[in-house]
Amino acid sequence: MSTGTLLAIVIPVVVVVALIVLALVLVRRRRRLRERFGPEYERTVEGADSRFAAERELDERAKRHDELDIKPLPDSARDRFARDWDGVQHEFVDRPEDAVHDADRLVTSLMQARGYPTEGFEQQMKDLSVEHGRTLEHYRAAHEIDTLSAEHRADTEQLRSAMVHYRTLFDELLSDDGGQTRHAPA
């Protein structure tokens, strides 16, 4: 067999094998990102120019997150935050708008205590998406209602809903393991 014939056989085989390996790597990457980001994966893909661009953004979020010093809370801080949440929840009865604003500030304070940067809502969402993608929609909905509330355009049911949404993320951030809800519904 001549060298030309051999190359004509080997080169296409190498190209096909390389394409198969590349496809497998991309499928594994996609699966890993879906598992890590949960619903935030699809949301990011829908908002991006392409799936590749969305996956690149999610990888960048993960790299940034891995550089953060996220830490569990000491028991004393966890207890203090839980008491503060109970206070905010009790405040809701008489001053629902104030309670929602205070819930937002308390969640932000908890994020900061855990080691998350708090330099703006969009960046907070990106940083939280890495470990808390399954509860992120709660934070997004609560923040939207908090914005309406600041303009006095949220009704009591929306404000109650915001408290429930904030509590979902609050409880997850408060636990070390992304754990269980600790409070009864507002």
Side-chain angles (χ1 to χ4, degrees):
M1 188 179 305
S2 72
T3 303
T5 304
L6 188 58
L7 287 175
I9 294 171
V10 170
I11 290 176
V13 168
V14 168
V15 168
V16 168
V17 168
L19 290 174
I20 290 171
V21 168
L22 178 61
L24 290 173
V25 167
L26 292 175
V27 166
R28 285 182 48 206
R29 174 182 181 224
R30 182 166 297 149
R31 185 178 317 123
R32 179 182 49 82
L33 289 171
R34 276 190 172 138
E35 288 171 3
R36 186 165 192 184
F37 285 90
E40 189 64 15
Y41 174 88
E42 291 302 328
R43 183 179 180 80
T44 304
V45 168
E46 288 172 11
D49 294 334
S50 69
R51 184 174 300 275
F52 181 76
E55 290 177 351
R56 186 176 58 241
E57 178 185 335
L58 292 171
D59 274 334
E60 289 170 9
R61 288 184 196 183
K63 286 176 189 168
R64 174 183 159 93
H65 183 274
D66 291 346
E67 294 174 1
L68 299 176
D69 185 23
I70 308 300
K71 55 196 169 288
L73 293 173
D75 288 341
S76 60
R78 186 174 309 133
D79 292 344
R80 180 180 51 81
F81 276 107
R83 281 191 307 275
D84 290 349
W85 179 263
D86 288 341
V88 168
Q89 202 163 266
H90 285 95
E91 176 185 22
F92 184 82
V93 174
D94 295 322
R95 297 187 323 273
E97 282 186 343
D98 292 341
V100 168
H101 300 317
D102 290 345
D104 181 72
R105 283 190 288 273
L106 186 58
V107 166
T108 301
S109 178
L110 177 55
M111 288 173 56
Q112 190 170 34
R114 291 286 313 273
Y116 286 97
T118 55
E119 68 250 14
F121 180 71
E122 289 303 318
Q123 188 59 52
Q124 288 174 358
M125 295 292 289
K126 289 177 181 180
D127 291 338
L128 287 170
S129 71
V130 178
E131 285 189 3
H132 304 283
R134 286 170 175 59
T135 57
L136 205 55
E137 193 57 39
H138 290 281
Y139 188 40
R140 192 175 278 114
H143 183 77
E144 187 176 309
I145 295 168
D146 184 43
T147 301
L148 287 174
S149 174
E151 301 166 358
H152 306 291
R153 297 183 331 157
D155 63 32
T156 304
E157 183 56 28
Q158 288 172 308
L159 295 170
R160 188 196 70 75
S161 178
M163 291 295 290
V164 171
H165 289 307
Y166 276 128
R167 189 189 62 242
T168 300
L169 179 61
F170 179 85
D171 283 342
E172 188 168 302
L173 287 169
L174 194 62
S175 68
D176 290 341
D177 59 356
Q180 306 299 315
T181 301
R182 297 172 182 231
H183 298 281

